[in-house]
Amino acid sequence: MFGELIGIWLTDLWIRAGRPQDCKYVELGPGRGTLAADALRSMKQFDFAPEVYFVETSAALREMQARAVPDANFLSNVGDLPFDVPMFIIANEFFDALPVRQLIATHAGWRERVVVRDRGTKFMATPGMTAMDELVPADFRNAPSPTIYETCPAASSIMYELAGRISEQGGAMLIADYGYTLPGIGSTLQAVRAHEFADPFENPGEHDLTAHVNFVELGNLARMRQLHVSGPIEQGVWLKALGIDSRLQVLAAKQPERTDELSAARDRLVEATGMGSLFKILAISNPDWPIPEGFEISQSLG
């Protein structure tokens, strides 16, 4: 349901933009390629079949993605994307996986948290020596020790690059991720292994490391490029606006034996007990393009 609705969202925007030719479908870190396959299948029903580009660095994941979308082109960097055509860019649970930088308040001022060995046996975080006060927003600068402020330079760099591309080439970008919509403090770094939380500093290379996405920063970077920013809004609100409940009814009517399974999947995507509130949706689009659907019924959270 999620991939199909994203495909319909992209198709609607493409149609209202006048069906521009030579558009590209771009996905950042497309996982196993399932979302792309579902979205592209929906788009094809409306004769929208853009060339596909996956930005992926993992050789193992590229193999799975190639099986899901055999015609995909693979790139390692967003800077290698085509420069002369509109792009429809999807970033689903991409920005949360980028390296986060943590600054911590100490009695001597703000310092960056760095990793050291604890008695030579394991890793641990500790304040570094270099002053970092100027990198902390003024509203948080007087916070008490040991307050933590997070930044993600890689996310900012990628967002600014892609926003510039959309400004110059046309198109839009959809971001779906978990994160916060107001500037805040506190550590959100977490590690997951075998679907359970783990210590980020133990067994390096064997955990999935993530941190919450700063949607305020992403939206402001797009505004710096003079783009239209829609959202962020809660994922559940957005999916309801796109008609996920109607899609559920259609699927359940076709496969009544899967009604409970489909309803559970819908609830996981939409309800606050699942991903509906924690995950946010943000769209950026060329100012000369139509306003994307799904955001008008609710005020932005940012």
Side-chain angles (χ1 to χ4, degrees):
M1 288 181 284
F2 189 64
E4 289 177 349
L5 288 174
I6 286 180
I8 292 172
W9 182 86
L10 293 171
T11 301
D12 170 77
L13 189 58
W14 173 70
I15 291 173
R16 291 190 289 123
R19 301 174 186 263
Q21 300 300 308
D22 297 326
C23 292
K24 310 299 183 186
Y25 174 98
V26 177
E27 190 165 344
L28 311 181
R32 293 177 172 82
T34 306
L35 185 152
D38 292 339
L40 292 164
R41 184 176 61 253
S42 294
M43 295 157 63
K44 193 173 182 179
Q45 296 177 13
F46 300 92
D47 297 322
F48 183 27
E51 189 176 11
V52 177
Y53 284 85
F54 287 160
V55 180
E56 178 60 69
T57 59
S58 167
L61 287 176
R62 283 189 178 193
E63 290 184 7
M64 287 186 278
Q65 294 158 8
R67 289 194 291 269
V69 184
D71 296 330
N73 300 285
F74 291 95
L75 301 173
S76 297
N77 301 289
V78 296
D80 296 329
L81 288 166
F83 278 91
D84 55 349
V85 294
M87 293 189 294
F88 292 89
I89 305 170
I90 303 297
N92 177 48
E93 294 189 66
F94 169 77
F95 284 104
D96 71 275
L98 297 178
V100 69
R101 185 180 191 185
Q102 292 188 335
L103 309 180
I104 185 169
T106 72
H107 297 297
W110 285 88
R111 300 291 187 266
E112 182 171 12
R113 291 185 89 201
V114 297
V115 179
V116 298
R117 284 193 176 274
D118 178 14
R119 299 176 183 176
T121 60
K122 61 173 290 187
F123 291 109
M124 62 177 291
T126 189
M129 300 298 294
T130 305
M132 293 289 176
D133 300 70
E134 293 185 359
L135 297 183
V136 178
D139 291 345
F140 306 139
R141 207 164 289 169
N142 293 324
S145 173
T147 299
I148 290 175
Y149 175 74
E150 291 181 340
T151 66
C152 185
S156 299
S157 176
I158 291 172
M159 186 66 176
Y160 192 68
E161 163 79 14
L162 294 176
R165 296 293 204 91
I166 292 172
S167 177
E168 297 172 3
Q169 301 169 214
M173 180 176 180
L174 184 75
I175 301 168
D177 224 316
Y178 64 95
Y180 48 95
T181 58
L182 293 173
I185 53 179
S187 173
T188 69
L189 176 67
Q190 63 183 26
V192 177
R193 184 180 186 186
H195 305 290
E196 294 184 357
F197 291 111
D199 184 342
F201 301 106
E202 290 185 354
N203 303 311
E206 298 181 14
H207 297 150
D208 289 329
L209 299 178
T210 66
H212 284 205
V213 175
N214 186 341
F215 280 95
V216 178
E217 176 75 6
L218 297 184
N220 287 339
L221 288 166
R223 292 183 182 95
M224 290 174 63
R225 294 290 203 176
Q226 310 303 314
L227 298 186
H228 179 82
V229 178
S230 301
I233 63 173
E234 293 180 353
Q235 177 175 285
V237 173
W238 187 74
L239 289 173
K240 286 181 180 179
L242 293 188
I244 190 172
D245 291 325
S246 297
R247 184 57 182 156
L248 170 62
Q249 293 176 2
V250 171
L251 292 172
K254 291 181 178 179
Q255 305 176 70
E257 73 281 1
R258 297 185 62 203
T259 298
D260 291 344
E261 175 190 348
L262 292 166
S263 295
R266 177 265 179 206
D267 291 347
R268 187 167 60 253
L269 288 168
V270 171
E271 298 301 330
T273 53
M275 303 162 62
S277 296
L278 179 61
F279 275 64
K280 310 299 188 300
I281 303 291
L282 177 73
I284 65 172
S285 53
N286 185 286
D288 296 328
W289 280 49
I291 303 299
E293 287 291 340
F295 296 90
E296 292 82 0
I297 70 165
S298 174
Q299 291 186 351
S300 299
L301 299 175

